[in-house]
PDB file of all heavy atoms in Angstrom:
ATOM      1  N   LEU J  12     119.162 180.570 -75.549  1.00 95.00           N
ATOM      2  CA  LEU J  12     120.575 180.739 -75.284  1.00 95.00           C
ATOM      3  C   LEU J  12     120.939 179.532 -74.434  1.00 95.00           C
ATOM      4  O   LEU J  12     120.294 179.276 -73.407  1.00 95.00           O
ATOM      5  CB  LEU J  12     120.865 182.030 -74.517  1.00 95.00           C
ATOM      6  CG  LEU J  12     122.298 182.155 -74.006  1.00 95.00           C
ATOM      7  CD1 LEU J  12     123.301 182.209 -75.166  1.00 95.00           C
ATOM      8  CD2 LEU J  12     122.438 183.385 -73.122  1.00 95.00           C
ATOM      9  N   ARG J  13     121.919 178.774 -74.856  1.00 95.00           N
ATOM     10  CA  ARG J  13     122.334 177.580 -74.118  1.00 95.00           C
ATOM     11  C   ARG J  13     123.739 177.793 -73.570  1.00 95.00           C
ATOM     12  O   ARG J  13     124.636 178.213 -74.292  1.00 95.00           O
ATOM     13  CB  ARG J  13     122.290 176.354 -75.020  1.00 95.00           C
ATOM     14  CG  ARG J  13     122.749 175.076 -74.318  1.00 95.00           C
ATOM     15  CD  ARG J  13     122.298 173.845 -75.032  1.00 95.00           C
ATOM     16  NE  ARG J  13     120.871 173.637 -74.759  1.00 95.00           N
ATOM     17  CZ  ARG J  13     120.133 172.705 -75.349  1.00 95.00           C
ATOM     18  NH1 ARG J  13     120.660 171.908 -76.245  1.00 95.00           N
ATOM     19  NH2 ARG J  13     118.853 172.585 -75.041  1.00 95.00           N
ATOM     20  N   ILE J  14     123.891 177.476 -72.283  1.00 96.00           N
ATOM     21  CA  ILE J  14     125.178 177.554 -71.611  1.00 96.00           C
ATOM     22  C   ILE J  14     125.589 176.125 -71.247  1.00 96.00           C
ATOM     23  O   ILE J  14     125.113 175.568 -70.258  1.00 96.00           O
ATOM     24  CB  ILE J  14     125.088 178.424 -70.328  1.00 96.00           C
ATOM     25  CG1 ILE J  14     124.376 179.755 -70.575  1.00 96.00           C
ATOM     26  CG2 ILE J  14     126.474 178.609 -69.719  1.00 96.00           C
ATOM     27  CD1 ILE J  14     125.017 180.639 -71.615  1.00 96.00           C
ATOM     28  N   PRO J  15     126.461 175.516 -72.053  1.00 96.00           N
ATOM     29  CA  PRO J  15     126.855 174.133 -71.777  1.00 96.00           C
ATOM     30  C   PRO J  15     127.866 174.065 -70.632  1.00 96.00           C
ATOM     31  O   PRO J  15     128.610 175.022 -70.387  1.00 96.00           O
ATOM     32  CB  PRO J  15     127.487 173.678 -73.093  1.00 96.00           C
ATOM     33  CG  PRO J  15     128.018 174.935 -73.693  1.00 96.00           C
ATOM     34  CD  PRO J  15     127.079 176.033 -73.264  1.00 96.00           C
ATOM     35  N   PHE J  16     127.871 172.944 -69.941  1.00 96.00           N
ATOM     36  CA  PHE J  16     128.871 172.719 -68.897  1.00 96.00           C
ATOM     37  C   PHE J  16     129.168 171.235 -68.818  1.00 96.00           C
ATOM     38  O   PHE J  16     128.379 170.410 -69.270  1.00 96.00           O
ATOM     39  CB  PHE J  16     128.399 173.264 -67.540  1.00 96.00           C
ATOM     40  CG  PHE J  16     127.093 172.691 -67.056  1.00 96.00           C
ATOM     41  CD1 PHE J  16     127.046 171.476 -66.380  1.00 96.00           C
ATOM     42  CD2 PHE J  16     125.903 173.372 -67.274  1.00 96.00           C
ATOM     43  CE1 PHE J  16     125.841 170.956 -65.936  1.00 96.00           C
ATOM     44  CE2 PHE J  16     124.692 172.867 -66.835  1.00 96.00           C
ATOM     45  CZ  PHE J  16     124.664 171.644 -66.155  1.00 96.00           C
ATOM     46  N   ARG J  17     130.326 170.925 -68.235  1.00 96.00           N
ATOM     47  CA  ARG J  17     130.665 169.521 -68.015  1.00 96.00           C
ATOM     48  C   ARG J  17     131.293 169.384 -66.635  1.00 96.00           C
ATOM     49  O   ARG J  17     131.962 170.299 -66.145  1.00 96.00           O
ATOM     50  CB  ARG J  17     131.566 168.961 -69.103  1.00 96.00           C
ATOM     51  CG  ARG J  17     132.939 169.521 -69.162  1.00 96.00           C
ATOM     52  CD  ARG J  17     133.757 168.824 -70.273  1.00 96.00           C
ATOM     53  NE  ARG J  17     135.061 169.418 -70.397  1.00 96.00           N
ATOM     54  CZ  ARG J  17     136.111 169.059 -69.665  1.00 96.00           C
ATOM     55  NH1 ARG J  17     136.022 168.112 -68.779  1.00 96.00           N
ATOM     56  NH2 ARG J  17     137.274 169.656 -69.839  1.00 96.00           N
ATOM     57  N   ALA J  18     131.049 168.255 -66.025  1.00 95.00           N
ATOM     58  CA  ALA J  18     131.573 167.992 -64.691  1.00 95.00           C
ATOM     59  C   ALA J  18     133.087 167.808 -64.760  1.00 95.00           C
ATOM     60  O   ALA J  18     133.592 167.125 -65.641  1.00 95.00           O
ATOM     61  CB  ALA J  18     130.918 166.753 -64.106  1.00 95.00           C
ATOM     62  N   ILE J  19     133.793 168.446 -63.826  1.00 95.00           N
ATOM     63  CA  ILE J  19     135.241 168.239 -63.745  1.00 95.00           C
ATOM     64  C   ILE J  19     135.627 167.651 -62.394  1.00 95.00           C
ATOM     65  O   ILE J  19     136.747 167.220 -62.206  1.00 95.00           O
ATOM     66  CB  ILE J  19     136.025 169.539 -64.017  1.00 95.00           C
ATOM     67  CG1 ILE J  19     135.622 170.630 -63.041  1.00 95.00           C
ATOM     68  CG2 ILE J  19     135.859 169.981 -65.447  1.00 95.00           C
ATOM     69  CD1 ILE J  19     136.521 171.839 -63.092  1.00 95.00           C
ATOM     70  N   ASP J  20     134.674 167.664 -61.458  1.00 89.00           N
ATOM     71  CA  ASP J  20     134.911 167.107 -60.132  1.00 89.00           C
ATOM     72  C   ASP J  20     133.603 166.522 -59.622  1.00 89.00           C
ATOM     73  O   ASP J  20     132.724 167.252 -59.190  1.00 89.00           O
ATOM     74  CB  ASP J  20     135.417 168.214 -59.192  1.00 89.00           C
ATOM     75  CG  ASP J  20     135.712 167.704 -57.799  1.00 89.00           C
ATOM     76  OD1 ASP J  20     135.917 166.495 -57.624  1.00 89.00           O
ATOM     77  OD2 ASP J  20     135.736 168.528 -56.868  1.00 89.00           O
ATOM     78  N   GLY J  21     133.445 165.213 -59.732  1.00 84.00           N
ATOM     79  CA  GLY J  21     132.210 164.565 -59.318  1.00 84.00           C
ATOM     80  C   GLY J  21     131.241 164.415 -60.480  1.00 84.00           C
ATOM     81  O   GLY J  21     131.545 164.750 -61.623  1.00 84.00           O
ATOM     82  N   GLN J  22     130.053 163.903 -60.164  1.00 84.00           N
ATOM     83  CA  GLN J  22     128.985 163.767 -61.144  1.00 84.00           C
ATOM     84  C   GLN J  22     127.944 164.845 -60.869  1.00 84.00           C
ATOM     85  O   GLN J  22     127.832 165.343 -59.744  1.00 84.00           O
ATOM     86  CB  GLN J  22     128.341 162.385 -61.057  1.00 84.00           C
ATOM     87  CG  GLN J  22     129.265 161.270 -61.486  1.00 84.00           C
ATOM     88  CD  GLN J  22     128.565 159.923 -61.490  1.00 84.00           C
ATOM     89  OE1 GLN J  22     127.564 159.719 -60.827  1.00 84.00           O
ATOM     90  NE2 GLN J  22     129.103 158.987 -62.253  1.00 84.00           N
ATOM     91  N   LEU J  23     127.174 165.183 -61.892  1.00 85.00           N
ATOM     92  CA  LEU J  23     126.216 166.282 -61.759  1.00 85.00           C
ATOM     93  C   LEU J  23     125.205 166.064 -60.645  1.00 85.00           C
ATOM     94  O   LEU J  23     124.719 167.027 -60.070  1.00 85.00           O
ATOM     95  CB  LEU J  23     125.487 166.522 -63.085  1.00 85.00           C
ATOM     96  CG  LEU J  23     126.359 166.956 -64.251  1.00 85.00           C
ATOM     97  CD1 LEU J  23     125.491 167.240 -65.467  1.00 85.00           C
ATOM     98  CD2 LEU J  23     127.206 168.166 -63.911  1.00 85.00           C
ATOM     99  N   ASP J  24     124.894 164.827 -60.330  1.00 82.00           N
ATOM    100  CA  ASP J  24     123.903 164.575 -59.282  1.00 82.00           C
ATOM    101  C   ASP J  24     124.526 164.407 -57.894  1.00 82.00           C
ATOM    102  O   ASP J  24     123.840 164.078 -56.947  1.00 82.00           O
ATOM    103  CB  ASP J  24     123.046 163.358 -59.631  1.00 82.00           C
ATOM    104  CG  ASP J  24     123.835 162.066 -59.684  1.00 82.00           C
ATOM    105  OD1 ASP J  24     125.088 162.121 -59.726  1.00 82.00           O
ATOM    106  OD2 ASP J  24     123.202 161.004 -59.685  1.00 82.00           O
ATOM    107  N   SER J  25     125.839 164.663 -57.768  1.00 83.00           N
ATOM    108  CA  SER J  25     126.497 164.518 -56.472  1.00 83.00           C
ATOM    109  C   SER J  25     126.714 165.883 -55.814  1.00 83.00           C
ATOM    110  O   SER J  25     126.884 166.899 -56.489  1.00 83.00           O
ATOM    111  CB  SER J  25     127.827 163.782 -56.618  1.00 83.00           C
ATOM    112  OG  SER J  25     128.737 164.531 -57.393  1.00 83.00           O
ATOM    113  N   HIS J  26     126.695 165.882 -54.497  1.00 86.00           N
ATOM    114  CA  HIS J  26     126.893 167.101 -53.712  1.00 86.00           C
ATOM    115  C   HIS J  26     128.299 167.661 -53.957  1.00 86.00           C
ATOM    116  O   HIS J  26     129.273 166.916 -53.951  1.00 86.00           O
ATOM    117  CB  HIS J  26     126.691 166.801 -52.230  1.00 86.00           C
ATOM    118  CG  HIS J  26     126.887 167.989 -51.358  1.00 86.00           C
ATOM    119  ND1 HIS J  26     126.004 169.049 -51.343  1.00 86.00           N
ATOM    120  CD2 HIS J  26     127.871 168.307 -50.484  1.00 86.00           C
ATOM    121  CE1 HIS J  26     126.429 169.952 -50.494  1.00 86.00           C
ATOM    122  NE2 HIS J  26     127.566 169.525 -49.947  1.00 86.00           N
ATOM    123  N   GLY J  27     128.405 168.956 -54.195  1.00 87.00           N
ATOM    124  CA  GLY J  27     129.697 169.603 -54.358  1.00 87.00           C
ATOM    125  C   GLY J  27     130.319 169.460 -55.731  1.00 87.00           C
ATOM    126  O   GLY J  27     131.506 169.761 -55.898  1.00 87.00           O
ATOM    127  N   CYS J  28     129.571 169.030 -56.718  1.00 93.00           N
ATOM    128  CA  CYS J  28     130.091 168.858 -58.078  1.00 93.00           C
ATOM    129  C   CYS J  28     130.567 170.203 -58.637  1.00 93.00           C
ATOM    130  O   CYS J  28     129.889 171.219 -58.531  1.00 93.00           O
ATOM    131  CB  CYS J  28     129.007 168.273 -58.980  1.00 93.00           C
ATOM    132  SG  CYS J  28     129.507 168.109 -60.700  1.00 93.00           S
ATOM    133  N   THR J  29     131.756 170.186 -59.225  1.00 95.00           N
ATOM    134  CA  THR J  29     132.296 171.363 -59.890  1.00 95.00           C
ATOM    135  C   THR J  29     132.188 171.162 -61.389  1.00 95.00           C
ATOM    136  O   THR J  29     132.452 170.062 -61.894  1.00 95.00           O
ATOM    137  CB  THR J  29     133.774 171.582 -59.501  1.00 95.00           C
ATOM    138  OG1 THR J  29     133.861 171.724 -58.084  1.00 95.00           O
ATOM    139  CG2 THR J  29     134.340 172.832 -60.158  1.00 95.00           C
ATOM    140  N   VAL J  30     131.786 172.218 -62.092  1.00 96.00           N
ATOM    141  CA  VAL J  30     131.628 172.136 -63.543  1.00 96.00           C
ATOM    142  C   VAL J  30     132.472 173.197 -64.233  1.00 96.00           C
ATOM    143  O   VAL J  30     132.834 174.215 -63.629  1.00 96.00           O
ATOM    144  CB  VAL J  30     130.151 172.295 -63.977  1.00 96.00           C
ATOM    145  CG1 VAL J  30     129.287 171.188 -63.409  1.00 96.00           C
ATOM    146  CG2 VAL J  30     129.596 173.655 -63.599  1.00 96.00           C
ATOM    147  N   MET J  31     132.787 172.934 -65.490  1.00 97.00           N
ATOM    148  CA  MET J  31     133.450 173.920 -66.336  1.00 97.00           C
ATOM    149  C   MET J  31     132.451 174.356 -67.401  1.00 97.00           C
ATOM    150  O   MET J  31     131.836 173.518 -68.063  1.00 97.00           O
ATOM    151  CB  MET J  31     134.693 173.336 -67.000  1.00 97.00           C
ATOM    152  CG  MET J  31     135.425 174.368 -67.861  1.00 97.00           C
ATOM    153  SD  MET J  31     136.998 173.774 -68.516  1.00 97.00           S
ATOM    154  CE  MET J  31     136.435 172.573 -69.708  1.00 97.00           C
ATOM    155  N   VAL J  32     132.309 175.656 -67.563  1.00 97.00           N
ATOM    156  CA  VAL J  32     131.365 176.220 -68.526  1.00 97.00           C
ATOM    157  C   VAL J  32     131.989 176.222 -69.916  1.00 97.00           C
ATOM    158  O   VAL J  32     133.157 176.573 -70.085  1.00 97.00           O
ATOM    159  CB  VAL J  32     130.957 177.652 -68.103  1.00 97.00           C
ATOM    160  CG1 VAL J  32     130.070 178.297 -69.152  1.00 97.00           C
ATOM    161  CG2 VAL J  32     130.262 177.628 -66.753  1.00 97.00           C
ATOM    162  N   GLY J  33     131.192 175.827 -70.911  1.00 97.00           N
ATOM    163  CA  GLY J  33     131.630 175.843 -72.301  1.00 97.00           C
ATOM    164  C   GLY J  33     131.231 177.150 -72.979  1.00 97.00           C
ATOM    165  O   GLY J  33     130.754 178.093 -72.337  1.00 97.00           O
ATOM    166  N   ARG J  34     131.391 177.194 -74.278  1.00 97.00           N
ATOM    167  CA  ARG J  34     131.045 178.393 -75.052  1.00 97.00           C
ATOM    168  C   ARG J  34     129.533 178.486 -75.207  1.00 97.00           C
ATOM    169  O   ARG J  34     128.889 177.564 -75.693  1.00 97.00           O
ATOM    170  CB  ARG J  34     131.689 178.345 -76.427  1.00 97.00           C
ATOM    171  CG  ARG J  34     131.293 179.571 -77.286  1.00 97.00           C
ATOM    172  CD  ARG J  34     132.113 179.696 -78.510  1.00 97.00           C
ATOM    173  NE  ARG J  34     133.440 180.121 -78.089  1.00 97.00           N
ATOM    174  CZ  ARG J  34     134.477 180.229 -78.910  1.00 97.00           C
ATOM    175  NH1 ARG J  34     134.336 179.948 -80.180  1.00 97.00           N
ATOM    176  NH2 ARG J  34     135.644 180.621 -78.457  1.00 97.00           N
ATOM    177  N   PRO J  35     128.942 179.612 -74.803  1.00 97.00           N
ATOM    178  CA  PRO J  35     127.491 179.807 -74.987  1.00 97.00           C
ATOM    179  C   PRO J  35     127.131 179.815 -76.475  1.00 97.00           C
ATOM    180  O   PRO J  35     127.942 180.209 -77.319  1.00 97.00           O
ATOM    181  CB  PRO J  35     127.237 181.184 -74.378  1.00 97.00           C
ATOM    182  CG  PRO J  35     128.409 181.461 -73.499  1.00 97.00           C
ATOM    183  CD  PRO J  35     129.564 180.750 -74.131  1.00 97.00           C
ATOM    184  N   TYR J  36     125.911 179.375 -76.767  1.00 95.00           N
ATOM    185  CA  TYR J  36     125.456 179.439 -78.146  1.00 95.00           C
ATOM    186  C   TYR J  36     123.943 179.611 -78.207  1.00 95.00           C
ATOM    187  O   TYR J  36     123.226 179.296 -77.263  1.00 95.00           O
ATOM    188  CB  TYR J  36     125.912 178.221 -78.965  1.00 95.00           C
ATOM    189  CG  TYR J  36     125.474 176.874 -78.451  1.00 95.00           C
ATOM    190  CD1 TYR J  36     124.313 176.270 -78.934  1.00 95.00           C
ATOM    191  CD2 TYR J  36     126.229 176.183 -77.513  1.00 95.00           C
ATOM    192  CE1 TYR J  36     123.919 175.017 -78.491  1.00 95.00           C
ATOM    193  CE2 TYR J  36     125.853 174.934 -77.068  1.00 95.00           C
ATOM    194  CZ  TYR J  36     124.695 174.352 -77.560  1.00 95.00           C
ATOM    195  OH  TYR J  36     124.309 173.114 -77.122  1.00 95.00           O
TER     196      TYR J  36
END
């Protein structure tokens, strides 16, 4: 089961990064 996400505030390796979850598949 994969839960995709993408950064919407910052980069994934930065402190406090916010992500938006995509559609699971």
Side-chain angles (χ1 to χ4, degrees):
L12 170 64
R13 178 161 284 173
I14 312 301
F16 57 84
R17 67 178 176 86
I19 58 170
D20 181 21
Q22 292 184 338
L23 297 184
D24 64 345
S25 64
H26 179 70
C28 177
T29 302
V30 298
M31 182 174 70
V32 175
R34 178 168 288 174
Y36 58 94

